[in-house]
Amino acid sequence: MTFPFLVLQSVATPAVAQGNPTPSWRERCPGASDWMKAHADQGPVAVKERDARRTLTRPDLVAELQSRFDEEQAARRRMLAEHFSPSSNKLVVRLDAENLRWMKRWFEKDGFPTADQIGEGGLHLLWLLVHHADTEPEFQRSALAQFQRRHEAGEVNPQDLSQLSDRVAVKFKEPQPYGTQRDWAKGGVEAQEIPDLARIDANRKALDLMPLSDYGCMMHAFRGAPSR
């Protein structure tokens, strides 16, 4: 549940229009719904259960990540509510810059963390901060290489890896390997210009992701809702 400059970790339920409930994304996108049910091990409940079985060695970093995550998400929701007002936009830019400086100091001192240190949940929080470090694409690309290693170790969600991979690819004007970085408010895959859909879906299958048509349907249901 996330996405381009504006990644938010929860999406409001579509509003009721003229007294008739708007169909949920699960009703509108049965393929995506079925896929997520079959891959519950990638979901937040499964992550929380796995982390509960770990004895995290850096709970202090988890607490710091959670605090920074909550603050930047609140700022982005405010920016949406205020229709990108100058003051709300300035706050988001400031928080992203502060988070970037903090991450760079952390990595230089202690290296890139593992799930044993901060859990899979902590790596997801870190992923979001890296995702929003847009002023330094080279930093994002360097962090992506570390996330790829953590994914190979079974510690990073494929969805997180795909979105960061595509974000970095866009920054360096390279083809998106997984096709996630698009204006889904315009519509699903059928409304996008994707000449290499077969390649993208092959990459997605190799990473154990749902087909892009299902992902696009879900994202359009979130972003194209009449009210949020």
Side-chain angles (χ1 to χ4, degrees):
M1 306 99 199
T2 27
F3 328 105
F5 163 70
L6 195 60
V7 178
L8 293 177
Q9 286 302 291
S10 62
V11 180
T13 302
V16 173
Q18 299 180 351
N20 296 316
T22 301
S24 73
W25 72 267
R26 294 183 184 278
E27 295 172 300
R28 294 168 61 180
C29 310
S33 180
D34 290 345
W35 187 95
M36 293 185 74
K37 289 176 184 176
H39 292 76
D41 62 310
Q42 294 187 21
V45 173
V47 167
K48 188 174 182 179
E49 290 175 348
R50 287 193 294 270
D51 280 349
R53 295 193 291 270
R54 292 182 166 100
T55 301
L56 304 184
T57 61
R58 294 300 307 270
D60 57 315
L61 287 176
V62 179
E64 180 74 11
L65 280 165
Q66 187 68 61
S67 175
R68 290 176 180 274
F69 171 92
D70 291 343
E71 188 175 26
E72 76 109 65
Q73 290 286 281
R76 279 175 160 77
R77 291 192 175 89
R78 172 187 162 186
M79 186 168 63
L80 282 177
E82 295 181 6
H83 304 289
F84 295 83
S85 68
S87 61
S88 63
N89 184 69
K90 185 177 180 179
L91 175 61
V92 167
V93 170
R94 177 176 66 79
L95 291 175
D96 287 349
E98 290 176 357
N99 288 335
L100 173 59
R101 288 192 294 270
W102 176 73
M103 287 187 290
K104 292 172 75 172
R105 290 195 301 269
W106 170 12
F107 296 168
E108 183 177 355
K109 178 183 177 182
D110 298 326
F112 200 86
T114 67
D116 286 340
Q117 293 174 310
I118 65 173
E120 293 176 55
L123 284 167
H124 174 70
L125 299 176
L126 176 61
W127 163 83
L128 187 82
L129 300 189
V130 171
H131 203 74
H132 284 154
D134 286 311
T135 58
E136 292 199 22
E138 287 288 357
F139 171 81
Q140 289 178 312
R141 183 158 64 177
S142 176
L144 172 60
Q146 296 296 331
F147 276 112
Q148 288 171 329
R149 293 187 180 96
R150 299 272 57 83
H151 173 261
E152 290 166 4
E155 299 175 2
V156 167
N157 189 296
Q159 182 58 48
D160 287 354
L161 183 63
S162 70
Q163 289 185 9
L164 186 57
S165 297
D166 286 343
R167 197 175 187 92
V168 169
V170 169
K171 294 289 181 60
F172 289 94
K173 302 186 186 309
E174 299 168 353
Q176 295 184 45
Y178 305 108
T180 64
Q181 303 295 288
R182 304 189 183 276
D183 184 0
W184 296 113
K186 293 181 178 179
V189 166
E190 69 284 349
Q192 311 291 328
E193 295 182 6
I194 311 177
D196 54 351
L197 181 58
R199 175 189 64 84
I200 287 173
D201 268 337
N203 290 340
R204 293 181 66 84
K205 184 176 181 179
L207 197 62
D208 198 18
L209 296 167
M210 70 177 70
L212 190 64
S213 58
D214 292 327
Y215 177 81
C217 178
M218 181 175 65
M219 292 305 301
H220 177 57
F222 287 151
R223 295 186 152 193
S227 176
R228 312 212 267 192

